[in-house]
Amino acid sequence: MNTVSGVGLGLRREMLGSVTTAKAEVIDFFEVAPENWLPFGGALAKQFRALTERYSFACHGLSLSLGSPDPLDLDFIKAVKAFLQQHQIKLYSEHLSYCSAGGHLYDLMPIPFTLAAARYTAERIRQVQDILGRQLVVENVSYYAAPGQEMSELEFTLEVLQQADCALLLDVNNVYVNSINHGYNAGDFIAALPSKRIVYGHIAGHYQQDESLLIDTHGAAVCKAVWQLLAHAYQCHGVFPTLLERDFHLPPMQVLEAELWQIKACQQRVMA
């Protein structure tokens, strides 16, 4: 299923001017949220089209709301399908969470870690896959509360992957953040994931509010512990395509390039 390879960067509209001058050998692919590009035409659409003709792309959605009690938005799913086809993007991922319940919540909410919720979410993923005509990729998310918890985050994630027969986007930073906030071993969590389902990965920075509370912000440099966990993930599952997320406090492109080179160096060390 892998349709991207190497090292990627999350593309924001603010980056459009600078990515065209980035060193071609550093960035192998980009990732965008389709919701941020679907409404636009004109010059912005032409700039985006020029990039999709030059680079491989993945889409990482924000509003599919897989665990929501609300019905799936079928019109939106069909619009995403057309967008993916238009730009020949074969990889579409979404968060293992929900963001609507009687209206949009404007945040990614944790799905209760219960068997019933896992099976409900898996059924909705299967519906999305049937409409798209392709396998959906789901991302493990950061969370700060676990309402009605009956199983562990790991057990819940494995149940959804198996029941839905979907793929996994392994967010290494989210595993690290959750391991600190909820007191589990991040290395063991990653080792227990099914290698065959991992299509690509994310790394990002976070904010340390307290010794036992990290906030997933995508607004800082990647910390040493997350770099070490990424190397561990490669050792457990083999080297997989990995993307740097940076959504806030955007530094100059050369700073992002330096982190992208760190990903590439980590991949090369493990392969060697």
Side-chain angles (χ1 to χ4, degrees):
M1 181 182 176
N2 280 17
T3 53
V4 297
S5 61
V7 176
L9 178 65
L11 178 66
R12 298 183 65 83
R13 288 196 295 273
E14 302 93 311
M15 297 177 181
L16 277 176
S18 55
V19 296
T20 56
T21 60
K23 298 182 179 67
E25 68 269 21
V26 180
I27 302 173
D28 299 308
F29 69 99
F30 287 107
E31 178 191 81
V32 294
E35 293 89 340
N36 291 339
W37 297 87
L38 275 169
F40 295 100
L44 192 62
K46 289 180 181 178
Q47 283 181 289
F48 182 65
R49 182 67 178 180
L51 281 173
T52 61
E53 290 174 347
R54 179 181 170 193
Y55 290 96
S56 297
F57 266 76
C59 274
H60 185 47
L62 300 169
S63 57
L64 197 52
S65 204
L66 290 171
S68 172
D70 295 342
L72 288 167
D73 187 339
L74 302 184
D75 289 338
F76 170 71
I77 297 170
K78 291 173 183 176
V80 170
K81 180 178 182 178
F83 181 82
L84 298 173
Q85 292 173 337
Q86 177 187 359
H87 295 286
Q88 298 183 329
I89 299 171
K90 296 184 173 62
L91 207 57
Y92 176 41
S93 61
E94 250 291 358
H95 302 83
L96 191 52
S97 63
Y98 70 101
C99 58
S100 62
H104 208 290
L105 301 173
Y106 300 101
D107 206 351
L108 298 175
M109 307 298 292
I111 303 170
F113 295 152
T114 69
L115 184 58
R119 290 176 174 172
Y120 171 81
T121 304
E123 172 58 29
R124 286 164 66 90
I125 292 171
R126 288 197 296 270
Q127 291 178 43
V128 172
Q129 292 178 146
D130 287 343
I131 296 170
L132 294 177
R134 68 176 72 193
Q135 194 175 38
L136 186 66
V137 186
V138 297
E139 179 193 38
N140 59 293
V141 298
S142 56
Y143 64 100
Y144 305 95
Q149 182 170 1
E150 297 175 2
M151 55 202 306
S152 69
E153 177 193 353
L154 177 61
E155 291 168 336
F156 176 82
T157 303
L158 294 175
E159 185 69 23
V160 171
L161 292 173
Q162 180 179 355
Q163 292 285 334
D165 191 23
C166 59
L168 175 65
L169 162 53
L170 173 54
D171 192 306
V172 176
N173 180 65
N174 286 351
V175 174
Y176 180 73
V177 166
N178 291 346
S179 73
I180 298 299
N181 292 346
H182 303 287
Y184 65 72
N185 185 289
D188 290 347
F189 183 102
I190 284 178
L193 295 171
S195 300
K196 65 179 182 179
R197 296 209 181 264
I198 300 173
V199 175
Y200 72 119
H202 279 174
I203 59 168
H206 54 259
Y207 172 69
Q208 183 170 343
Q209 183 164 315
D210 188 78
E211 286 186 3
S212 58
L213 179 58
L214 305 182
I215 307 297
D216 178 32
T217 60
H218 301 177
V222 179
C223 75
K224 181 179 179 181
V226 172
W227 286 118
Q228 292 172 338
L229 197 58
L230 177 64
H232 172 72
Y234 289 159
Q235 290 161 357
C236 290
H237 303 292
V239 172
F240 47 81
T242 304
L243 179 129
L244 174 67
E245 291 186 294
R246 187 66 179 262
D247 296 334
F248 303 100
H249 307 302
L250 292 174
M253 181 54 66
Q254 58 263 34
V255 176
L256 296 176
E257 286 179 4
E259 287 198 292
L260 294 172
W261 277 116
Q262 283 186 262
I263 298 174
K264 194 175 287 287
C266 185
Q267 292 176 337
Q268 292 172 344
R269 281 195 302 270
V270 173
M271 287 189 293

